[in-house]
């Protein structure tokens, strides 16, 4: 606690503090440890994969304390950690203006354009990250099942599969997912839910259809 207090005192007001901890209780614990050390107008950012409804609750809780709370999706994995991630910030726009220059400086770039933009108030950032993850999981499922059908059904060799996936990974379809080493363990991946909607029942609650896969609820 003493080290945390010393760090906070070194920051210029309004302070901008970002946490990267597991979703759930650890986020609330960090918030509680920070509250005695912060002042009105300071900004607290959750850069983990928190459930968006938890983020909404934290936004209101911190607002009562005079603080800004931002839920921010971060995507990019190991490469993003070194060369810049895609960043999905949400929260009140005033807080975003305080951190915008820093986020644009560290984000991945497409040409000269940073891969970051204000997505909206409340839990917009974490909601978008949830959808982003759901799409990614579905693509991983599709790749894994395609691999399995070609290997077990069509009898393609590993070299032939390599050539097929290399061809699929050209042009506009280019992605890091077909190159993932995890493709070789597709039997395990097929057991993974095809999407994140089963964990977060947002689709039926918002009456938004997500079709295209017979296993999707």
């Amino acid at each position: 606690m003493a080290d945390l207090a010393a760090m906070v005192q070194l920051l210029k007001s309004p302070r901008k503090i970002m946490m990267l901890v597991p979703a759930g209780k650890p986020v609330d614990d960090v918030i509680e440890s920070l509250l005695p050390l912060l002042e009105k107008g300071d900004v607290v950012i959750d850069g983990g994969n928190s459930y968006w409804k938890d983020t909404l609750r934290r936004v209101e809780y911190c607002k009562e304390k005079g603080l800004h709370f931002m839920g921010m999706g971060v995507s990019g994995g190991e490469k993003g950690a070194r060369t810049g991630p895609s960043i999905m910030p949400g929260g009140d726009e005033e807080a975003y203006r305080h951190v915008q220059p820093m986020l644009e400086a560290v984000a991945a770039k497409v040409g000269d354009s940073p891969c970051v933009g204000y997505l909206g108030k409340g839990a917009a950032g974490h909601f978008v990250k949830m959808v982003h993850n759901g799409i990614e999981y579905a693509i991983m499922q599709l790749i894994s099942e395609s691999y399995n059908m070609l290997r077990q059904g069509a009898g393609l060799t590993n070299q032939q599969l390599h050539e097929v996936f290399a061809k699929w990974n050209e042009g506009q379809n280019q992605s890091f997912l077909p190159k993932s080493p995890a493709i070789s363990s597709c039997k395990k991946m097929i057991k993974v839910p095809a999407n994140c909607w089963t964990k977060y029942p947002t689709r039926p609650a918002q009456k938004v259809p997500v079709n295209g896969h017979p296993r999707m609820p």
Side-chain angles (χ1 to χ4, degrees):
M1 187 67 174
D3 291 340
L4 183 60
M7 181 200 75
V8 170
Q9 289 303 313
L10 291 173
L11 301 177
K12 294 172 61 177
S13 294
R15 302 176 180 89
K16 284 77 71 176
I17 298 176
M18 178 175 170
M19 68 180 91
L20 285 165
V21 298
K25 188 175 182 296
V27 178
D28 293 315
D29 290 343
V30 172
I31 292 172
E32 292 302 323
S33 68
L34 287 170
L35 284 179
L37 309 174
L38 300 180
E39 299 174 348
K40 185 176 180 180
D42 288 346
V43 181
V44 179
I45 305 169
D46 174 13
N49 279 330
S50 290
Y51 181 35
W52 65 276
K53 287 190 175 181
D54 288 340
T55 301
L56 279 179
R57 170 177 56 80
R58 291 166 184 143
V59 167
E60 293 303 315
Y61 179 66
C62 289
K63 186 177 180 180
E64 293 172 359
K65 310 292 184 182
L67 305 173
H68 300 291
F69 186 84
M70 299 182 65
M72 191 171 76
V74 179
S75 179
E78 304 89 359
K79 184 175 181 180
R82 292 170 172 80
T83 62
S86 172
I87 305 175
M88 297 155 258
D92 68 81
E93 195 164 2
E94 179 186 352
Y96 176 67
R97 297 307 170 205
H98 287 307
V99 299
Q100 181 179 0
M102 290 182 289
L103 297 182
E104 290 182 349
V106 301
K109 306 293 190 300
V110 176
D112 294 327
S113 300
C115 296
V116 58
Y118 175 65
L119 295 177
K121 63 182 181 179
H126 276 152
F127 190 93
V128 169
K129 183 56 165 41
M130 178 185 69
V131 175
H132 165 100
N133 286 345
I135 294 169
E136 185 174 58
Y137 300 158
I139 293 172
M140 290 170 67
Q141 182 77 13
L142 177 62
I143 292 171
S144 298
E145 294 192 13
S146 299
Y147 179 101
N148 192 55
M149 286 189 291
L150 292 171
R151 185 75 175 89
Q152 303 299 327
L156 269 65
T157 65
N158 285 336
Q159 179 58 36
Q160 289 172 320
L161 284 164
H162 170 76
E163 293 170 1
V164 169
F165 277 89
K167 184 66 177 178
W168 287 354
N169 202 37
E170 294 176 355
Q172 292 184 339
N173 293 325
Q174 195 280 326
S175 166
F176 75 94
L177 289 175
K179 297 183 289 187
S180 171
I183 296 302
S184 62
S185 59
C186 69
K187 288 184 179 180
K188 292 183 180 179
M189 291 180 66
I190 288 172
K191 297 178 182 178
V192 177
N195 55 75
C196 66
W197 308 106
T198 53
K199 183 174 182 182
Y200 300 141
T202 303
R203 177 180 62 83
Q206 302 297 327
K207 299 181 180 178
V208 177
V210 181
N211 303 320
H213 195 295
R215 294 184 183 176
M216 284 188 175

